[in-house]
Amino acid sequence: MTLLAEVDTIATPDIAWSALSPFLVMVVGATVMLGFSGLLPRRGPRRWTGLFTAFTVATALGTVVACIVLWRDLPDTGTRTVVGGAYAVDGFSLFLIGVIALGVIIAALLTDGYLRREDLEGPEPYLLYLASAAGGIIMASATDLIVMFLGLEILSLAAYVLAGVHRRRLRSGEAAIKYFVLGSFSSAFFLYGIALIYGATGATSMISIAEFLSENRLTDEGLLLAGIGMLLVGFGFKVAAAPFHSWTPDVYQGAPSPVTAFMATAVKAAGFAGLLRVVVVTFSSYRYDWQPLIYALAVASLLVGAVLAVVQTDVKRMMAYSSINHAGFMLVAVAAGTIEGVTATLFYLATYTIIVGGTFGVITVVGRRGDGHHQLSDYGGLARREPLLALALTVFLLAQAGTPLTSGFLAKFYAVNAVVEAGSSWLGLVAMLSAVISAFLYLRIVLAMYAGAQDPDEADGAEPATSPVRRVKAPMAAKVTIALALVATIGIGLVPDPLTKTARDATPDLVADDDR
């Protein structure tokens, strides 16, 4: 009886289910899809899976809006946590959940036509998108390092399988194995870092760690600094930052193009969500200790991504190194360690998701059956064959280069401006230098589309073909995705205030403004 009485008094955390609704919608959606897919004939039409995925993600976005309405009237006491302080509901997490959801929608729309083209119709990619996004939501909202690790693993395991979802392509399987093996090492570093930080502070809760470090000064900081360094190794792998980028070119090239779009958008957003919450919130009092590490990652990513991209001949590998360069720009903003830096990072993630989603939309279409036509020569004469596709890709590439009147220009400007205002002008100069180098990469692809050979065979010196121009068939879902991304890229470049204000409003709970 005494034992039962003691058991009855065990305290359990209060769970605000409304706060968990975006995560629960993703999980329930994936579960329902799995159940129905198992009951329906395997060879039957599967187009409903793409529509159901889009509906699930749209519902998750609706719950994000509901969370904003339900929680905005509560007293502003900083980051609002639920589930025993392990899960945060704030503008930061809700903003990034929206970015992750946008990445899933883009990937799902591109996957629909891709699967039918490759005779791979099935629910597996959509299930994995939802599962991986659920892990990303946990990473964006976690305020406990163990919970953060669980979200990281849920995100990663689904992404590993997605890379190999094209079962008939050897490169797809090779990409999955490389991603899995190297990802396992990064997860081990991340978990070991958690163990070291727990040993130094006696806690895994980010709030508890921050309070402990603000009230106490460690006599021996070696254990803590080693833990921070190992966490950065794990995050560096997820955001494809040099020197932890070795997986990126091979995986981007081998994975199905819509999956690559998902990795470049939703997975990267989740990685930066965890990095910002851990570095800027938890270890804000150790800013001058982790800043040099972020500086090193940023410089390496900027230069490696820009220099190695210009020597590639495969467009997907070019985009892989471009992704590394973009990660460097976002790390430049993170290195500032200020509200402006966090705002710039969030703005960059949102605009980058749109730009890269549109870019890979065109790449998916141009890749044609087999998803193997990604050499630069395959884009020769694209402006004559498909002028609208070539125009859209040109805009996306110029936006990535930072051309004015596009959202990409503002993203780079905000990142550089944040670090310059923080007193690190030299890092801003390195970023601008890398932007100049990477511009050659984007112009190289544009030149191939408008001035290159009209057929890949002509690039080898063969006589120009006299047959009708070979057209590229684009599914309706891909056309809609590319068109909307194009409008958003130009629209945000012309009218950035709504997104800029939303990104700034997402940061007060994340970073304490010293001027307030």
Side-chain angles (χ1 to χ4, degrees), residues 34-112:
L34 179 63
F36 274 97
S37 299
L39 296 175
L40 295 176
R42 177 67 182 176
R43 296 185 178 276
R46 296 282 179 167
R47 297 196 65 179
W48 69 271
T49 53
L51 295 175
F52 184 79
T53 301
F55 171 77
T56 301
V57 178
T59 304
L61 287 174
T63 62
V64 169
V65 176
C67 285
I68 295 174
V69 173
L70 289 173
W71 291 79
R72 67 181 177 184
D73 295 328
L74 295 180
D76 188 7
T77 56
T79 301
R80 306 177 184 99
T81 59
V82 297
V83 196
Y87 191 95
V89 181
D90 54 14
F92 174 77
S93 62
L94 296 177
F95 182 93
L96 283 166
I97 289 172
V99 173
I100 293 170
L102 179 60
V104 176
I105 291 176
I106 291 173
L109 290 174
L110 298 178
T111 301
D112 178 61

Side-chain angles (χ1 to χ4, degrees), residues 39 43 48 67 69 85 105 119 123 196 215 219 275 281 313 328 341 400 425 458 464 494:
L39 296 175
R43 296 185 178 276
W48 69 271
C67 285
V69 173
I105 291 176
D119 293 329
L196 293 180
E215 297 171 358
T219 56
L275 176 64
V281 177
T313 58
Q400 291 191 60
S425 301
E458 297 178 32
L494 297 175

Side-chain angles (χ1 to χ4, degrees), residues 20 94 114 172 263 356 385 405 424 438 469 495 508 511:
L20 298 174
L94 296 177
Y114 180 90
S172 182
M263 293 177 182
V356 173
R385 290 179 284 149
L405 302 182
S424 301
S438 61
V469 176
V495 188
V511 184

